[in-house]
Amino acid sequence: MSDVRHVLVLPDRDAAEEAAEALGDRFGLAEEPQLVRDALAGEDDAEDAQWLVVLTDSEERLDPKELDEFAGEWDGWREEP
């Protein structure tokens, strides 16, 4: 079993929470995505933070292009490994 992970970068916490919930509905995920706050270098203000949605894809069934389009719905993107 592989340890493939996808990381979606989203502009704020609300977008990340909404996307994480919608991911399960749209893609039928086996595991719940993890939300991680990613502060920009040198910034302590929560307004200057991006949020990451981390997906484990051990069966390698998620299409990166579909995840790119999905993240774009929240003004985000999928980070390339």
Side-chain angles (χ1 to χ4, degrees):
M1 197 175 274
S2 70
D3 191 25
V4 174
R5 295 191 196 287
H6 300 281
V7 177
L8 307 182
V9 181
L10 299 167
D12 57 46
R13 183 179 186 152
D14 290 339
E17 289 175 345
E18 289 175 22
E21 186 174 321
L23 277 165
D25 295 338
R26 187 173 302 178
F27 296 101
L29 301 178
E31 294 182 33
E32 187 151 337
Q34 295 178 327
L35 298 179
V36 179
R37 181 179 177 270
D38 183 33
L40 300 177
E43 298 294 335
D44 292 329
D45 187 354
E47 293 298 317
D48 292 324
Q50 295 174 326
W51 283 78
L52 309 178
V53 178
V54 181
L55 310 164
T56 300
D57 185 17
S58 55
E59 297 176 11
E60 297 185 49
R61 62 180 192 81
L62 298 174
D63 180 1
K65 184 178 178 187
E66 286 182 40
L67 291 173
D68 281 331
E69 292 170 4
F70 178 84
E73 294 175 22
W74 281 272
D75 296 324
W77 66 91
R78 185 183 61 85
E79 191 71 25
E80 290 290 333

